[in-house]
Amino acid sequence: AAAAAAAASSAGLSETDIEREPAAAAQTLTAALEHRPDHAEYYRQRAYAYILLRNYHDAVADAKKALALEPNNAVAFLRQGIGEYYMRNYDSALKSFTEGETQDGADSAFPTWIKRCEEALRGPGSQEEMVRFFPNRLICRLID
């Protein structure tokens, strides 16, 4: 574990390292966090590893921990939003992406993700679509 913490703390893991071996990166970062639980970058990096592993719940949890330590970090908002998006929490994801964009308006990822959320919220099965296809059913439900 000490070697893993040393590896993570020496220069951190690059995104390439995380992309190449996300499970190993998550383990390395977990060990590093045992020694430095207040290191926001490790939480952001592990959130990325979790996203690649499709462990969205833990990715969101780590992004939130990073934001508790660095409340204005655009990358943490991006990772939180991606996790929420894939958990189909589109409203929460939209809020995360919008907040992240206010922190870093130059990052082109935010408008793309914001558009995806807006489309998901408007997509088939949304209330807007239900009103178009089943207007009486929705009205009856609201009256009941």
Side-chain angles (χ1 to χ4, degrees):
S9 64
S10 63
L13 296 172
S14 70
E15 286 204 6
T16 304
D17 294 332
I18 296 168
E19 290 164 358
R20 190 177 300 125
E21 303 249 359
Q27 288 179 332
T28 298
L29 291 161
T30 297
L33 282 163
E34 289 174 10
H35 298 281
R36 293 194 56 200
D38 61 344
H39 200 277
E41 181 181 3
Y42 295 163
Y43 286 112
R44 286 192 308 271
Q45 289 181 325
R46 192 170 68 173
Y48 183 49
Y50 285 147
I51 288 167
L52 295 174
L53 295 167
R54 296 184 174 144
N55 181 349
Y56 303 118
H57 184 269
D58 287 343
V60 170
D62 273 3
K64 286 181 178 181
K65 289 174 188 171
L67 286 166
L69 295 166
E70 293 179 355
N72 299 321
N73 189 283
V75 174
F77 279 112
L78 181 65
R79 303 226 164 115
Q80 178 178 322
I82 291 170
E84 291 166 336
Y85 178 87
Y86 284 112
M87 291 169 47
R88 298 181 183 200
N89 294 335
Y90 303 121
D91 284 323
S92 297
L94 182 58
K95 288 176 189 165
S96 296
F97 294 134
T98 302
E99 183 61 31
E101 187 176 42
T102 65
Q103 304 303 322
D104 182 3
D107 190 331
S108 63
F110 288 111
T112 301
W113 282 105
I114 288 169
K115 183 178 177 184
R116 284 183 176 183
C117 288
E118 290 170 343
E119 288 171 354
L121 289 166
R122 283 194 312 266
S126 69
Q127 274 203 340
E128 191 176 293
E129 287 291 311
M130 294 292 284
V131 170
R132 274 211 308 261
F133 292 111
F134 307 104
N136 294 334
R137 181 178 291 169
L138 184 62
I139 291 169
C140 291
R141 214 175 313 141
L142 291 174
I143 293 171
D144 291 341

